[in-house]
Amino acid sequence: MGVTFSTVFRHLSDPKLKGEIGDPTMYERFWQQAGDKSTIVIPGWQSMSYFSDAGSLCWFLEPDFAQEIIRLHKIVGNAVTEDRHIVVGTGSTQLYQAVLYALSPQDAVEPLSVVSAAPYYSSYPLITDCLKSGLYKWAGDARSFNKEGPFIELVTSPNNPDGYARQSVVNKSGGILVHDLAYYWPQYTPIISAANHDIMLFTVSKSTGHAGMRIGWALVKDEEVAKKMVKFVELNTIGVSKDSQLRAAKVLQVVISSCQYPTTLGSLFDFSAHLMEERWRLLRAAVRQSGLFTLPEFSPGSCSFLKRSFAPQPAFAWLKCQELMEDCEGFLRSNNILTRSGKHFGVSPQYVRISMLDRDENFYIFVERLSTIHLRHSIQDETGE
């Protein structure tokens, strides 16, 4: 798989490339080639009740889905599931809100502070403060946080947007850690060990590519915290779509089967890991050719799942423009590439985040445009246009 950068202006009349969101359409090709393996039929009489398992702590969690979650983590080896409660949510966004609700004292004098080390996920501040809750509030960069009292620290690892492995950075007592592990899968980073934290968040969208299902899950150690999270989902949406859970269970079955009995495509993780490796190779070549940007450098690690050593290949590229470019997002927009500015992630607008998960056609157009920006500007300077 490859792309040449020789046809400099071939796609300049195309619409701007929408790389600022992480829509994982890259995975479509795997699922198209998988055929009917992930197809399910849900009769009209099925899944009519609110309840999936009335006797369970998370009473709206489909047992089949819970079983496949445990199986998948065991095969990949990326998270401990023993002695954990599984809470399902409408994507990890709802689970994040449920965690904030569960961890915030109901009788506190002031809102609980929520922090994360910059660059942090751009939606954290927006989601935290969207309802202007009296229970919690966004308090910014964890590195500069020095307020007394309890707090919640969000640890995203690998980090969105820059792809680095993360640990807690607040050096004070009274904090509660929440680990967002949406990208801790072998197509993005080596699986070094099974994550073993009190609260861990995952999502189908970044593990299998099925963002439209709107399904995520939390692995929660403390029973009372899990109960409060369930209560939030109950108050918020009276449960989670059973149809989506059944479809997610079937998809995870296919993923697990592809790991145990790989076809010519390999497992889903083999397929996507090789694709991400190729995309990062092309992107780094484009950045070198442009001479206008830099990218993070990562150290390789040994992956226990893929049985090989490789450097992280994140779902997003964290691109930095030259020092003279103060608005990297604006500069790239003028070259028909849409990105998300670093200012949304708590850092300088010299940085931008670009999705690496678009369809092949769009990704190839993106790297070609990026690699030839210097040529277009040279021609413009010569012609005075």
Side-chain angles (χ1 to χ4, degrees):
M1 185 189 309
V3 62
T4 64
F5 304 138
S6 57
T7 53
V8 176
F9 303 112
R10 185 176 58 192
H11 300 292
L12 291 186
S13 60
D14 293 349
K16 287 181 171 66
L17 293 179
K18 199 168 185 179
E20 81 273 27
I21 60 173
D23 200 17
T25 48
M26 172 190 86
Y27 290 89
E28 286 176 347
R29 185 153 53 91
F30 176 88
W31 292 104
Q32 287 166 352
Q33 293 182 53
D36 295 335
K37 293 179 180 178
S38 60
T39 299
I40 63 170
V41 177
I42 301 177
W45 52 263
Q46 189 175 344
S47 304
M48 294 181 67
S49 170
Y50 286 114
F51 298 92
S52 295
D53 183 355
S56 173
L57 182 148
C58 187
W59 52 266
F60 45 82
L61 170 63
E62 285 292 307
D64 287 349
F65 183 46
Q67 177 181 318
E68 299 309 323
I69 288 171
I70 294 170
R71 290 181 63 209
L72 182 63
H73 282 304
K74 184 175 182 180
I75 285 178
V76 175
N78 64 338
V80 172
T81 58
E82 291 81 6
D83 300 319
R84 297 296 193 281
H85 302 281
I86 300 175
V87 180
V88 65
T90 304
S92 58
T93 298
Q94 186 183 43
L95 290 169
Y96 171 58
Q97 294 173 305
V99 165
L100 296 183
Y101 173 84
L103 296 179
S104 301
Q106 302 294 306
D107 56 354
V109 176
E110 60 179 351
L112 189 65
S113 296
V114 182
V115 299
S116 187
Y120 42 70
Y121 177 39
S122 59
S123 291
Y124 282 155
L126 301 175
I127 298 169
T128 305
D129 288 344
C130 69
L131 297 179
K132 301 188 184 303
S133 171
L135 298 178
Y136 48 81
K137 66 179 296 184
W138 179 252
D141 187 355
R143 290 190 175 89
S144 58
F145 179 72
N146 56 12
K147 183 179 178 180
E148 292 301 318
F151 63 94
I152 296 172
E153 182 179 358
L154 309 170
V155 181
T156 306
S157 188
N159 189 43
N160 173 2
D162 61 14
Y164 287 110
R166 282 284 187 88
Q167 294 180 339
S168 169
V169 301
V170 179
N171 187 22
K172 62 194 298 289
S173 60
I176 306 172
L177 300 182
V178 176
H179 286 79
D180 184 343
L181 304 180
Y183 300 95
Y184 192 46
W185 297 98
Q187 63 267 51
Y188 307 122
T189 192
I191 303 302
I192 306 299
S193 61
N196 185 11
H197 308 293
D198 290 349
I199 303 171
M200 300 181 283
L201 306 181
F202 294 90
T203 173
V204 167
S205 63
K206 298 309 186 292
S207 53
T208 72
H210 291 85
M213 281 186 191
R214 307 310 309 131
I215 290 290
W217 66 93
L219 301 177
V220 184
K221 195 168 188 178
D222 186 272
E223 183 175 343
E224 291 306 310
V225 172
K227 285 180 178 179
K228 290 178 181 178
M229 290 178 67
V230 168
K231 187 62 179 179
F232 176 87
V233 177
E234 176 186 331
L235 294 172
N236 188 228
T237 51
I238 321 180
V240 175
S241 168
K242 296 169 78 173
D243 290 0
S244 288
Q245 290 186 66
L246 292 172
R247 186 179 174 211
K250 183 63 175 178
V251 162
L252 294 193
Q253 284 178 11
V254 175
V255 172
I256 292 166
S257 179
S258 76
C259 296
Q260 295 175 324
Y261 313 104
T263 63
T264 53
L265 277 176
S267 71
L268 170 77
F269 300 117
D270 290 319
F271 168 87
S272 50
H274 285 118
L275 190 53
M276 292 301 295
E277 181 179 9
E278 175 69 1
R279 289 187 171 200
W280 271 94
R281 184 186 69 79
L282 292 172
L283 177 61
R284 291 192 184 280
V287 166
R288 285 194 300 270
Q289 189 164 330
S290 75
L292 300 175
F293 313 99
T294 58
L295 286 166
E297 296 293 336
F298 303 102
S299 299
S302 180
C303 180
S304 60
F305 176 79
L306 292 178
K307 309 299 183 186
R308 61 185 177 89
S309 181
F310 62 94
Q313 41 206 32
F316 295 100
W318 188 233
L319 199 69
K320 184 181 182 183
C321 285
Q322 284 181 339
E323 294 297 327
L324 296 178
M325 301 179 197
E326 295 183 358
D327 180 11
C328 193
E329 179 186 30
F331 174 72
L332 289 171
R333 187 189 301 112
S334 70
N335 286 275
N336 289 333
I337 299 174
L338 295 184
T339 64
R340 185 169 293 181
S341 172
K343 66 184 181 182
H344 300 295
F345 302 89
V347 296
S348 164
Q350 281 187 280
Y351 291 89
V352 294
R353 190 194 74 170
I354 305 174
S355 173
M356 298 289 286
L357 303 181
D358 208 337
R359 295 182 178 92
D360 290 343
E361 177 185 359
N362 290 339
F363 180 79
Y364 293 156
I365 296 171
F366 154 60
V367 292
E368 183 171 18
R369 285 183 183 174
L370 193 69
S371 70
T372 55
I373 285 178
H374 68 293
L375 297 180
R376 292 197 294 277
H377 283 268
S378 296
I379 292 173
Q380 290 171 0
D381 291 342
E382 291 174 4
T383 61
E385 296 179 358

